[in-house]
Amino acid sequence: MVAALLCFMWAMLAALGLSNLRYSEAGSSRNIIIVGLSLFFSLSIPTYFQQYGISPNTNLSVPSYLQPYIVASHGPFRTKYGGLNYVMNTLLSLHMVIAFLIAVVLDNTVPGSSQERGVYIWSEPEAARSDPAVAKDYELPFRVGQVFRWVKWVGL
């Protein structure tokens, strides 16, 4: 049950992130480079961190979803603070964290117009709330929203 909920959560998160790309100009070389670099680094940096996961003398095979937690104890990021080592080694060995960080940094540093970046749709909050396409992105799929109608009554 927990695995099914985890799969559902990650699928929704990835779909929502990719659906926001439709507001930006997909043919822009700026956006193509940002998406390409974030995908490349999200595959290569965690692989570098995960090679520290298992010592070469053991025959232990670990599932890929446990690799970030094994890397946390003895990854390449080493300081005199043990807690900081755990946090940085774990975060830098997760693909989604690296893709997010690279994309946010590049999107906010590489110059581009608001149309090219896709932020024009959120520049006026009232227009974004009234746009049905934006509201549809943030609603729950299928009939799951009907189960959670009570949330509106509680005031959340």
Side-chain angles (χ1 to χ4, degrees), residues 89-150:
N89 284 324
T90 301
L91 288 178
L92 293 175
S93 63
L94 294 171
H95 300 281
M96 198 172 274
V97 171
I98 298 296
F100 170 75
L101 291 175
I102 297 293
V104 165
V105 167
L106 288 177
D107 190 42
N108 290 313
T109 56
V110 177
S113 67
S114 62
Q115 294 281 30
E116 194 174 31
R117 293 182 64 204
V119 295
Y120 68 94
I121 193 73
W122 293 286
S123 60
E124 296 179 15
E126 295 302 321
R129 278 192 209 109
S130 63
D131 187 9
V134 173
K136 187 177 180 186
D137 285 343
Y138 292 97
E139 67 185 21
L140 292 170
F142 308 116
R143 296 186 181 173
V144 177
Q146 293 177 355
V147 175
F148 293 104
R149 282 183 297 189
W150 58 272

Side-chain angles (χ1 to χ4, degrees), residues 12 16 25 47 50 68 104 117 121 146 155:
M12 287 294 294
L16 182 62
E25 290 182 17
T47 303
Q50 289 171 5
V104 165
R117 293 182 64 204
I121 193 73
Q146 293 177 355

Side-chain angles (χ1 to χ4, degrees), residues 6 9-10 13 38-51 63-72 76 85-103:
L6 185 65
M9 180 192 69
W10 283 115
L13 187 64
S38 65
L39 287 175
F40 171 74
F41 284 118
S42 72
L43 293 174
S44 60
I45 292 175
T47 303
Y48 171 73
F49 272 76
Q50 289 171 5
Q51 77 181 356
S64 63
Y65 55 84
L66 291 178
Q67 281 285 0
Y69 306 108
I70 292 172
V71 170
N85 292 344
Y86 276 25
V87 169
M88 292 305 292
N89 284 324
T90 301
L91 288 178
L92 293 175
S93 63
L94 294 171
H95 300 281
M96 198 172 274
V97 171
I98 298 296
F100 170 75
L101 291 175
I102 297 293

